[in-house]
Amino acid sequence: MILFNHMVEYQEQGDSTFRALADPTRRRMVERLSQKPCTVGELAEPLSMSFAGASKHVGVLEAAGIVRREKRGRERLCILQPKALFEMRDWVERYSRFWNARLDALDQALKEDSDE
Amino acid sequence: MILFNHMVEYQEQGDSTFRALADPTRRRMVERLSQKPCTVGELAEPLSMSFAGASKHVGVLEAAGIVRREKRGRERLCILQPKALFEMRDWVERYSRFWNARLDALDQALKEDSDE
DNA sequence: GTTATGTTCAACCACTGGGTTGACTAATTC
DNA sequence: GAATTAGTCAACCCAGTGGTTGAACATAAC
């Protein structure tokens, strides 16, 4: 079943993205980074968090392909990389669209079912 | 700063949704449910998981508003509720769109910066 | 070269969360 | 009514993770 294989593949691919964005701290970082690229320190400060902690979070975002780290002197500039996010949006879009069609059909089916 | 408040609110609201979909098992359930509504047992079986385990997962999806549980005789029918997913898609869409515009401007700025 | 700054690494702690099992409830079947 | 089936609840176990601190490293500043 081609369709199913494709779904699974898609899911595996997006796994790190979903997990990365599951943490509210990391989502806040993403929001911050959507304004402009920041150094690790700049990301840590408003969260009142240690450099090491922030660095770990950035590592997770980086592994998910959401953020790219660029050496800049002795500091690291974190830059958003929207590709992974687009993929995630597509995943969600795919299913929500699918459901919409299904749900209409389902409501219909349930009604007919309860009529018998 | 109205915009920021709005973002945060949006994030808090979507928190349960993001966390719910962070788990691959629950994403597989969502995929399954996108085909047709299933009982808890039907969800548990293909994952070779206990009823209790599956029930917990459904509980998480239900708390996030992704799934609705409907009593049907002695079994519970789980039905997809796409609203939360749409909201999540919108969240991602908002940021990825925002970034796209930003990234263009940034590339430009960085180039000009390195020219100086 | 020495000192200060930005970041990472390693070890560690506390907590969450996915999973199980076993007891319990509710509906179904005989 | 007794036995079976679907599901939930509570307690528990283990792995993963968010966070810390302290040491190490690289770059910048003096």
Side-chain angles (χ1 to χ4, degrees):
Chain A
M1 206 203 189
I2 299 292
L3 181 60
F4 185 67
N5 283 340
H6 178 249
M7 283 172 167
V8 169
E9 190 188 335
Y10 209 93
Q11 165 205 325
E12 301 296 338
Q13 176 192 6
D15 191 57
S16 57
T17 308
F18 273 102
R19 263 218 305 273
L21 288 181
D23 182 60
T25 301
R26 276 183 307 257
R27 283 205 304 283
R28 246 181 274 169
M29 286 183 167
V30 165
E31 289 168 2
R32 187 92 197 279
L33 288 174
S34 73
Q35 315 280 346
K36 64 167 176 27
C38 300
T39 67
V40 174
E42 285 170 340
L43 285 177
E45 178 247 334
L47 301 169
S48 57
M49 176 183 298
S50 66
F51 278 69
S55 180
K56 265 165 99 174
H57 278 302
V58 172
V60 174
L61 290 170
E62 194 177 32
I66 299 175
V67 152
R68 177 170 50 96
R69 238 182 296 200
E70 199 171 274
K71 242 183 125 169
R72 222 173 185 210
R74 68 182 151 185
E75 45 190 32
R76 310 291 167 97
L77 202 61
C78 305
I79 307 173
L80 269 179
Q81 199 99 21
K83 183 172 147 291
L85 277 295
F86 275 122
E87 286 167 2
M88 180 156 140
R89 183 204 52 179
D90 289 346
W91 188 91
V92 175
E93 174 105 31
R94 176 173 323 229
Y95 285 103
S96 46
R97 225 200 297 243
F98 197 36
W99 300 338
N100 253 10
R102 287 277 171 179
L103 284 178
D104 292 344
L106 258 159
D107 274 344
Q108 204 70 17
L110 288 176
K111 268 178 201 149
E112 288 170 5
D113 222 38
S114 59
D115 286 346
E116 287 168 13
Chain B
M1 207 202 190
I2 299 290
L3 180 61
F4 185 66
N5 283 338
H6 178 248
M7 284 171 164
V8 170
E9 189 188 337
Y10 210 93
Q11 165 204 322
E12 302 296 337
Q13 176 192 9
D15 191 56
S16 56
T17 309
F18 273 102
R19 263 218 305 275
L21 288 182
D23 181 61
T25 302
R26 282 190 294 266
R27 283 206 304 284
R28 245 181 275 169
M29 285 183 166
V30 165
E31 289 167 1
R32 187 90 197 279
L33 287 174
S34 73
Q35 315 280 347
K36 66 169 176 25
C38 299
T39 67
V40 174
E42 285 170 340
L43 285 176
E45 178 247 335
L47 301 168
S48 56
M49 176 183 298
S50 68
F51 277 69
S55 181
K56 265 165 98 175
H57 278 302
V58 172
V60 174
L61 290 171
E62 195 178 30
I66 299 175
V67 152
R68 176 169 51 93
R69 239 182 296 199
E70 199 172 275
K71 239 182 127 173
R72 224 176 182 208
R74 70 180 151 187
E75 45 190 29
R76 311 290 167 97
L77 201 61
C78 305
I79 307 174
L80 268 179
Q81 198 101 22
K83 182 172 148 288
L85 278 292
F86 276 122
E87 286 166 3
M88 180 157 140
R89 182 205 51 179
D90 289 346
W91 187 90
V92 176
E93 174 104 29
R94 173 172 327 229
Y95 285 103
S96 45
R97 226 201 298 245
F98 197 36
W99 301 339
N100 253 9
R102 287 275 171 179
L103 285 177
D104 292 345
L106 257 159
D107 274 345
Q108 204 70 16
L110 288 176
K111 267 178 203 150
E112 288 170 6
D113 221 39
S114 60
D115 284 347
E116 285 168 13

